[in-house]
Amino acid sequence: LKQQIRYSDTPPGLSDPEEIRMARERLELLKEEYRLSQLPAFKNEYTVPDEPFAARERELEEISALFASRQEPVVLCGIGGIGKTSIARAYARKYQAAYRHVLFLTCTGSILRLIASDEELPVSPLSYQRDRYRNRHAYFAEKLKRMEEIMRKEKTLLILDDWNVRKGPGQAEVLSLPCDILITSRLDPVLWPECRPVTVGEMSDAEWREVARLYRGELSEEEMARISDYRRAVGGHTLCTVLYLRKVEGSDGVSPKTDILSRFPLKKAEIQMLMELSVMPASGISKEQFLQISTQPESILTQLEQYLLVKQEERTGGAYLYVHPVISEEIIACFRPTAEKCRGIIRGTAEAVKTVWIQPESENNRWEGVVFSLMDHFGSMPGW
């Protein structure tokens, strides 16, 4: 009686053995569903787009060989619009059968925030809750543990596209994940000591013929010659030339804006040096000459080289500085260098050539291109 009173709200048990068996089966199913729901899993898989792609087989084979040899991240380095992202997607498309998971993340800011984002990278059964986690750092650490659990059991390809910031929390932890990590970056390979670099540069004539065939079919030698002339005009830039091949409106003879500069946190001194370099001869300028007339220290030049915005080449007579024509065009379009903005380098040049008329002819020739380039940009100036 006491038991009946105590459990008066409890429904009676099952008396039929078959009902008991079915109830136990349902219970086991519910328990298994719950267990599976608590296992870590990637909720969104990357769907590799089926897009036109030709040439660049050397880069794809090199990436594959690097992943096969050691478990270290691979980084594709090159200027904006040269084809790094297309190569990364092509690798995922070609080798996706070898992976259980393919993830593609675009690095628009902090790598910690990117991984911790439930919109960019949802991992069940996790979800960020302020009352549960102290901050994003704590959630990032928890999420990384769950990702490691998945990756140790199931082969994963993680593509981190456009990663151009090498300072910040969480970077070392992400690069240590037990999976194949493929990075695209506009930074100098020397800034990626923990990765194996693959430099993405200008394609060969044979490769461009493949690309031309992809978009336009078989072309005559005359048409290929026109394409080659355009390629030279844009310094072999991939995106510009592909748009030219596809006859995109506005691309004929004009390099499209490629968003090269906006991916870097450029400081005032760096912008100033970029403007100064953009008004130098297109063929380049001696590093010694430029540092003599520039208003900025050499440390700024080093930073711009790390961003791959300025290239240094060894030529006869020493090191020369060179800005890719597409980058130079964007510098001029974005910052619009004027005589007022570049007055420092104009004055520096005027000071350097003040007595050049009594110097040997070779010294005159060294400065001639610089002077004429400044005059082309700013016109004839008093005292010149």
Side-chain angles (χ1 to χ4, degrees), residues 314-341:
E314 287 299 324
R315 301 181 187 175
T316 304
Y320 270 70
L321 302 177
Y322 167 76
V323 179
H324 193 284
V326 172
I327 296 176
S328 181
E329 182 178 329
E330 187 159 341
I331 291 168
I332 293 170
C334 290
F335 304 126
R336 302 189 182 280
T338 62
E340 176 63 23
K341 291 178 182 177

Side-chain angles (χ1 to χ4, degrees), residues 43-331:
K43 295 173 71 174
N44 283 354
E45 294 286 340
Y46 177 61
T47 302
V48 185
D50 186 12
E51 59 189 356
F53 184 83
R56 299 291 195 188
E57 287 299 324
R58 179 192 65 80
E59 287 85 351
L60 296 180
E61 291 173 5
E62 188 173 355
I63 295 167
S64 178
L66 288 171
F67 280 144
S69 62
R70 284 183 295 174
Q71 190 72 27
E72 289 178 354
V74 174
V75 57
L76 299 173
C77 296
I79 65 171
I82 201 67
K84 303 180 300 297
T85 301
S86 294
I87 293 171
R89 288 199 296 258
Y91 176 82
R93 184 166 50 250
K94 184 173 182 178
Y95 294 98
Q96 60 184 323
Y99 297 96
R100 174 64 180 81
H101 305 287
V102 176
L103 308 174
F104 189 104
L105 301 176
T106 302
C107 305
T108 55
S110 162
I111 193 69
L112 185 147
R113 286 192 169 274
L114 176 65
I115 298 297
S117 169
D118 288 331
E119 290 75 31
E120 298 291 338
L121 182 60
V123 177
S124 63
L126 298 179
S127 64
Y128 179 68
Q129 300 169 15
R130 287 188 177 182
D131 57 344
R132 183 175 179 182
Y133 299 97
R134 299 189 310 277
N135 49 42
R136 288 281 178 182
H137 287 69
Y139 185 58
F140 167 81
E142 175 68 18
K143 200 172 196 180
L144 222 59
K145 287 181 183 177
R146 297 300 184 105
M147 291 174 65
E148 287 177 4
E149 288 182 43
I150 301 170
M151 292 170 174
R152 292 193 187 283
K153 297 176 182 177
E154 301 169 335
K155 191 173 183 182
T156 302
L157 171 64
L158 173 60
I159 299 174
L160 297 168
D161 186 45
D162 217 15
W163 188 350
N164 304 313
V165 179
R166 290 296 288 126
K167 293 181 180 179
Q171 295 188 355
E173 292 88 337
V174 171
L175 292 176
S176 299
L177 285 169
C179 66
D180 286 349
I181 300 176
L182 180 58
I183 301 165
T184 72
S185 177
R186 303 183 186 190
L187 299 177
D188 192 305
V190 300
L191 297 178
W192 296 95
E194 62 278 82
C195 303
R196 289 164 295 167
V198 174
T199 301
V200 181
E202 181 181 352
M203 287 192 285
S204 66
D205 290 342
E207 288 176 318
W208 270 116
R209 189 170 287 276
E210 285 185 54
V211 176
R213 191 178 296 116
L214 175 68
Y215 287 105
R216 301 267 292 274
E218 291 295 337
L219 299 180
S220 66
E221 290 303 317
E222 183 182 353
E223 288 175 310
M224 284 303 302
R226 283 201 299 270
I227 293 168
S228 295
D229 289 341
Y230 181 79
R231 277 172 50 207
R232 283 192 290 272
V234 296
H237 192 265
T238 307
L239 176 60
C240 294
T241 310
V242 166
L243 291 176
Y244 179 79
L245 275 169
R246 296 171 65 183
K247 295 188 175 180
V248 173
E249 185 178 355
S251 69
D252 189 7
V254 180
S255 302
K257 189 174 185 302
T258 54
D259 199 27
I260 290 171
L261 302 175
S262 65
R263 303 305 175 93
F264 301 106
L266 293 173
K267 299 176 182 176
K268 185 176 180 180
E270 293 163 353
I271 292 172
Q272 182 63 41
M273 183 171 277
L274 284 174
M275 284 195 297
E276 293 174 354
L277 282 164
S278 72
V279 297
M280 290 294 101
S283 58
I285 179 174
S286 159
K287 181 179 179 181
E288 176 193 356
Q289 283 179 281
F290 181 73
L291 293 176
Q292 180 183 342
I293 62 178
S294 175
T295 60
Q296 304 305 321
E298 188 173 356
S299 59
I300 302 299
L301 178 61
T302 301
Q303 183 63 66
L304 294 177
E305 287 183 85
Q306 290 178 344
Y307 288 160
L308 299 182
L309 296 176
V310 178
K311 186 176 180 181
Q312 188 172 158
E313 293 180 347
E314 287 299 324
R315 301 181 187 175
T316 304
Y320 270 70
L321 302 177
Y322 167 76
V323 179
H324 193 284
V326 172
I327 296 176
S328 181
E329 182 178 329
E330 187 159 341
I331 291 168

